[in-house]
Each structure stands twice: as structure tokens, then as C-alpha cells.
């Protein structure tokens, strides 16, 4: 007699069902849209323009992102500016000038609920030596809170 049961939940690519994602979890990939490179350990590099999909509940008031701003980024550029948009509307921007793993919070407008397309525009972007990719920023996690 079986004592354990398993339930499978199928998700479609780019389907906004969850309110958070952690790059360390391989299952978070279905929430990513355009502009993402392969996972590198616990983070993913994004291109200068990237999208991800989250689902907002009425209790959510902020979009929180935790970045992985390594020394190589600031060896190549003096600062990183990250602009966030939700469903095509500007949400805010943040500027970073030092290495670390900062968390940035973007306040949501009232009554932001349901599926969200979160778009990020990073500038200036950079290409590490020996790497053909144009990188924007490195993400560890994102969540609505």
C-alpha cells in the first residue's frame, strides 16, 4: 500500500502563477521571458532588456529584487541603472555603484493584482572579456511582497 502521494502541477512557459522566483531553483525558469542567459550557480545574467512573470495578490505592495553585483560588473562600468516596468508601465529605477547582493524594492501602485509582466531595462550593459554576451544585471531572486 502506498503511503506517499505526489501531485504534479503543470505550468506553461511565461505563465504568471507564482508571486516569487528564486534563480537557484531550476523550476523557476518557466517564469522567465526574453533576455535571460543560462543559470550560473544561484543567479542568472539578464540582457539589457529582460522580462519575467509574477502573479500579484491584493496584499502585495512591492516588487523586491535581489541582485548579484559582482566586482567584474563594476570593473567594466562605473554604475548600473536598472529600470523596472509592470505590464508596460514605468515602476521605478535604481542605481548601483558597488559590488554586493543588494535588494531593491519598487512600490506597486494600488490595486496591482493578477498576472504581471515585469520588464527590466539595464544600462549601460557590458561585455566581459572573452564573452560574446551583452550583460545587463545578475538576478538572485524576485518576489512580490
Amino acid at each position: 500500500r502506498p503511503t506517499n502521494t505526489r501531485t504534479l502541477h503543470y505550468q506553461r512557459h511565461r505563465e504568471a502563477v507564482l508571486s516569487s522566483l528564486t534563480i537557484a531553483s531550476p523550476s523557476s525558469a518557466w517564469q522567465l521571458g526574453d533576455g535571460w542567459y543560462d543559470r550560473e550557480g544561484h543567479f542568472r545574467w539578464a540582457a539589457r532588456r529582460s522580462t519575467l512573470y509574477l502573479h500579484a495578490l491584493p496584499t502585495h505592495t512591492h516588487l523586491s529584487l535581489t541582485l548579484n553585483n559582482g566586482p567584474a560588473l563594476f570593473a567594466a562600468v562605473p554604475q548600473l541603472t536598472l529600470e523596472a516596468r509592470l505590464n508596460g508601465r514605468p515602476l521605478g529605477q535604481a542605481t548601483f555603484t558597488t559590488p554586493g547582493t543588494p535588494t531593491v524594492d519598487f512600490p506597486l501602485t494600488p490595486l496591482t493584482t493578477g498576472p504581471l509582466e515585469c520588464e527590466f531595462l539595464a544600462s549601460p550593459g557590458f561585455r566581459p572579456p572573452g564573452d560574446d554576451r551583452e550583460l545587463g544585471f545578475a538576478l538572485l531572486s524576485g518576489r512580490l511582497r
Side-chain angles (χ1 to χ4, degrees):
R1 293 173 64 169
T3 58
N4 296 321
T5 60
R6 292 183 188 224
T7 303
L8 298 176
H9 296 278
Y10 293 96
Q11 310 297 330
R12 285 179 279 178
H13 184 63
R14 300 179 184 205
E15 185 176 24
V17 174
L18 300 178
S19 298
S20 66
L21 70 90
T22 301
I23 297 299
S25 170
S27 65
S28 68
W30 62 268
Q31 291 175 260
L32 301 175
D34 296 330
W36 296 94
Y37 297 104
D38 290 338
R39 191 166 51 104
E40 298 180 28
H42 296 298
F43 70 93
R44 273 186 197 263
W45 279 107
R48 290 186 60 201
R49 181 191 171 282
S50 57
T51 56
L52 62 85
Y53 298 87
L54 298 172
H55 188 88
L57 300 175
T59 56
H60 291 140
T61 60
H62 289 80
L63 168 63
S64 295
L65 303 175
T66 302
L67 280 64
N68 184 23
N69 292 341
L73 171 66
F74 296 109
V77 298
Q79 71 179 27
L80 165 68
T81 300
L82 184 63
E83 178 185 347
R85 297 173 177 260
L86 284 185
N87 295 337
R89 294 192 171 122
L91 184 61
Q93 72 176 32
T95 300
F96 307 93
T97 58
T98 58
T101 55
T103 297
V104 61
D105 289 327
F106 296 104
L108 301 177
T109 58
L111 303 177
T112 300
T113 61
L116 300 178
E117 179 186 69
C118 307
E119 179 182 18
F120 304 103
L121 306 168
S123 64
F126 76 105
R127 290 181 193 270
D131 193 333
D132 292 341
R133 305 174 297 172
E134 183 175 31
L135 304 177
F137 70 102
L139 183 69
L140 289 164
S141 65
R143 68 184 178 110
L144 297 168
R145 58 170 192 83

